[in-house]
Amino acid sequence: MKALSLVLLSSAALAQAPKPAAAPTGYDCLIEPNQRIEIRSPTNALIDKILVERGSSVRAGDTLVLLDGSVEREALAGAQQRADSEAELRVARARADYAREKFRRREDLREQNYITAQDRDEAQAELRVAEAELALAVDNRRLAGIEAQRLSAVVKQRSLRAPFSGIVTERLQNPGELAFTGEGSRPILKMAQTNPLRVEVVLPVSVLGQVKAGRTAEIMPEAPLKGTWQASIKVVDRVMDSASGSFGVRLELPNPNGDIPAGVRCKVRFL
């Protein structure tokens, strides 16, 4: 009878004991743009045109902002003209040829004692000056070409282009305003890269060995979005947070058509 009572008590205790927690259906995560940048002017310049608005979709290389570059374009035209012109070079070459021929004749006459050594030396000095002027003309043309390249780069900086495909998230300035350079200045535009997207998740240390870079995971966004998407694990933190007993993981979520919005919460399930 006593043994039967012990068996009944043990059964009741087992029935009241807490059951093991079920495996989680997914970990909380956040879908974010892959990167956010601010479009600033590389120099102090007047804004001529802004070709996009807030919410505009742009491709890498698209022109976003045009800055006033009239002075630089005029300077570029002048430098290009000097670089292409051969007039100064032809004149210097003709003088050098004439001085070289003159010195040759003076040398022959000197050998026949028809002129003095001083006359021959003067012709030789004229030849050296003419050759120096020819070298200077060559250098001037080369420097004009270098200046044209520099001004061409300056003119290109007057067109601010998108460094990647994405969305214009904010427009902070307008045509006619003066754009300043430097980190403390106000940006003209803000952009976010939406393909691919970045998924950030914090995991407990107990699953550290189960999550490795290169593997695949399922991303399930919160309502009202539906469906699941495949993402690849890109970064697994090697430094743990001792206070919370967790570590971070970053995933890359392809979004070629822009169907997945950024900034929404989600669940991630590692396959």
Side-chain angles (χ1 to χ4, degrees):
M1 189 67 179
K2 184 180 293 185
L4 181 60
S5 300
L6 290 174
V7 170
L8 292 175
L9 288 173
S10 300
S11 300
L14 289 173
Q16 294 176 1
K19 297 181 179 180
T25 58
Y27 297 96
D28 292 333
C29 59
L30 180 63
I31 302 175
E32 296 182 308
N34 191 42
Q35 57 178 321
R36 301 176 186 266
I37 65 166
E38 296 178 342
I39 304 296
R40 300 175 181 271
S41 173
T43 184
N44 298 339
L46 191 69
I47 300 175
D48 188 17
K49 294 180 181 179
I50 298 180
L51 306 178
V52 292
E53 296 289 342
R54 175 183 173 184
S56 297
S57 298
V58 298
R59 294 182 177 273
D62 286 353
T63 302
L64 306 176
V65 180
L66 294 176
L67 303 174
D68 181 29
S70 55
V71 175
E72 288 78 9
R73 282 191 292 270
E74 292 295 331
L76 173 60
Q80 193 65 54
Q81 178 65 28
R82 292 192 300 273
D84 295 339
S85 176
E86 294 186 356
E88 182 182 1
L89 190 60
R90 286 198 300 266
V91 170
R93 189 176 290 119
R95 286 177 178 172
D97 291 342
Y98 172 75
R100 191 174 296 110
E101 180 64 21
K102 181 179 178 179
F103 173 69
R104 187 190 63 78
R105 292 196 303 267
R106 290 292 190 274
E107 187 72 16
D108 292 341
L109 292 173
R110 173 57 188 159
E111 291 178 357
Q112 299 175 20
N113 292 323
Y114 287 128
I115 62 173
T116 64
Q118 182 178 357
D119 292 336
R120 191 273 314 272
D121 293 342
E122 289 178 355
Q124 187 178 27
E126 291 178 7
L127 174 60
R128 290 174 178 173
V129 171
E131 289 176 342
E133 290 177 347
L134 176 59
L136 180 60
V138 172
D139 288 343
N140 287 340
R141 189 179 183 192
R142 181 176 59 84
L143 292 175
I146 295 174
E147 179 67 9
Q149 293 178 358
R150 185 188 71 82
L151 290 171
S152 177
V154 172
V155 169
K156 286 182 180 179
Q157 288 182 342
R158 297 300 185 268
S159 298
L160 307 185
R161 302 180 182 275
F164 51 74
S165 300
I167 303 295
V168 177
T169 59
E170 208 169 344
R171 173 173 162 174
L172 302 171
Q173 290 190 270
N174 297 299
E177 292 186 283
L178 188 62
F180 293 96
T181 186
E183 288 295 330
S185 62
R186 183 172 53 161
I188 303 173
L189 301 170
K190 291 184 179 181
M191 278 190 62
Q193 185 180 16
T194 55
N195 181 39
L197 292 168
R198 189 177 76 229
V199 181
E200 298 286 352
V201 58
V202 177
L203 301 176
V205 176
S206 58
V207 299
L208 177 61
Q210 306 172 24
V211 180
K212 296 182 179 181
R215 293 186 177 179
T216 306
E218 286 185 346
I219 306 298
M220 299 158 285
E222 65 180 0
L225 299 176
K226 297 180 180 179
T228 60
W229 291 284
Q230 298 291 318
S232 59
I233 302 172
K234 291 296 180 182
V235 178
V236 177
D237 288 347
R238 306 305 301 171
V239 178
M240 308 296 109
D241 184 1
S242 58
S244 61
S246 62
F247 65 100
V249 174
R250 175 178 296 177
L251 301 95
E252 187 177 276
L253 176 61
N255 189 28
N257 300 321
D259 300 328
I260 309 172
V264 299
R265 297 188 178 278
C266 58
K267 294 283 187 178
V268 58
R269 183 168 57 234
F270 295 97
L271 304 180

